[in-house]
Amino acid sequence: MTDARASADPNGDTHALRPPGTPCWVSLMAHALEATQEFYGTLFDWEFIEGPRQHGPSLRALLDGQDVAGIGQLPPDRQLLVAWTPYLASDDVDLTAETVRLCGGTIGVGPLDEADAGRMAIGSDPSGAVFGIWQGARHLGTGITGVPGTPAWHELVTYETESVAKFYRTVFGYEEQAVESPGLDYLTLSVGGRQVAGIHGAGDAVPRDRGPYWMTYFQVADTDKSVRQVTDLGGRLLEPAHDSPHGRVATVADPGGAVFSLIQDPR
């Protein structure tokens, strides 16, 4: 999280079709579905209902009866990295997926239909960071924002911003703005004049064991209290809580290793 981010809007029209490029959903593929449900249910006060079983067992997380996130079960023989993945809105997943390929990215899953909910694909940018693409139909994405327990911001952590920004600009039509700060390589990405995500060029600070990745920030009422909950529930503290221009922030990992950030009073 740097000096620029989008403000959360609890009264926003979250059930409208999002403009292309807007983060509209977030999902986690986990090895232990029941334990993951217990962790996030306690941490964020999420409730769960059974999700689609088209690709195996899954859950849909709810807050105040509204969709917040999805959690799926990884096959036991697939030792894949456990990570939160943002989905970026598209009016035409097939066209977006083809553009990803033409611009040097890859498509690992899809495009395919998720019953009548929508059409999706999962791809990666040229640096290897994984993201989803979502063309909403019955399911348009996260139904509540701007309150504790909801995604507040999405940030690509990568080696440097210049080359990968060209990829995202071409694929999703983002407007970019550099954050002017000595020694900081950071761009905000906007759709229709509204900041929706960021790109942080972290250089050698990018973890060698995972490479570039998308970070999801979840809003909480009290960052320090939430950090204690994370560790009490078997998670890990990766970056201690600290004050930023956008609220108090900490980076943590759940018991399965999925990394995410907590932010208090995002502004």
Side-chain angles (χ1 to χ4, degrees):
M1 179 70 64
T2 67
D3 287 343
R5 60 168 302 280
S7 60
D9 180 8
N11 300 312
D13 188 5
T14 54
H15 288 86
L17 193 65
R18 271 70 162 196
T22 305
C24 60
W25 187 242
V26 64
S27 72
L28 173 67
M29 295 298 291
H31 292 293
L33 201 59
E34 186 174 336
T36 302
Q37 176 180 348
E38 181 177 350
F39 175 85
Y40 287 101
T42 303
L43 181 64
F44 292 141
D45 291 327
W46 287 350
E47 298 177 343
F48 296 89
I49 60 174
E50 186 174 339
R53 298 186 66 88
Q54 186 174 354
H55 310 293
S58 71
L59 299 168
R60 185 162 289 173
L62 307 178
L63 184 67
D64 294 334
Q66 300 292 322
D67 289 331
V68 177
I71 300 177
Q73 173 79 59
L74 283 168
D77 60 339
R78 300 286 299 278
Q79 295 304 309
L80 299 174
L81 182 69
V82 177
W84 281 101
T85 301
Y87 281 73
L88 309 176
S90 171
D91 290 338
D92 186 333
V93 163
D94 295 80
L95 178 59
T96 302
E98 182 60 24
T99 306
V100 166
R101 295 187 186 98
L102 291 173
C103 292
T106 60
I107 296 295
V109 177
L112 53 85
D113 290 324
E114 291 284 349
D116 60 348
R119 190 163 173 80
M120 59 82 70
I122 297 177
S124 59
D125 66 30
S127 72
V130 175
F131 59 92
I133 309 167
W134 182 252
Q135 181 181 346
R138 182 179 58 82
H139 178 66
L140 300 181
T142 302
I144 180 171
T145 61
V147 296
T150 62
W153 185 245
H154 300 277
E155 183 174 282
L156 172 62
V157 181
T158 189
Y159 298 114
E160 50 84 24
T161 62
E162 184 176 358
S163 60
V164 76
K166 182 179 179 181
F167 168 85
Y168 286 98
R169 180 173 63 248
T170 304
V171 174
F172 292 105
Y174 290 123
E175 306 143 17
E176 304 161 10
Q177 183 175 357
V179 174
E180 300 295 337
S181 181
L184 179 65
D185 183 14
Y186 196 96
L187 296 174
T188 58
L189 304 177
S190 297
V191 173
R194 176 177 175 265
Q195 293 176 4
V196 297
I199 302 179
H200 181 198
D204 292 339
V206 174
R208 292 186 179 182
D209 60 342
R210 66 179 302 173
Y213 64 97
W214 277 92
M215 171 80 81
T216 297
Y217 288 74
F218 289 98
Q219 184 172 341
V220 293
D222 184 325
T223 298
D224 296 274
K225 179 181 178 181
S226 293
V227 165
R228 290 193 294 271
Q229 282 186 300
V230 166
T231 55
D232 287 346
L233 292 166
R236 294 179 293 128
L237 175 63
L238 303 181
E239 183 178 342
H242 61 280
D243 293 323
S244 79
H246 318 288
R248 192 159 175 80
V249 180
T251 300
V252 297
D254 70 20
V259 177
F260 59 99
S261 287
L262 305 168
I263 182 165
Q264 177 181 334
D265 296 328
R267 52 190 181 273

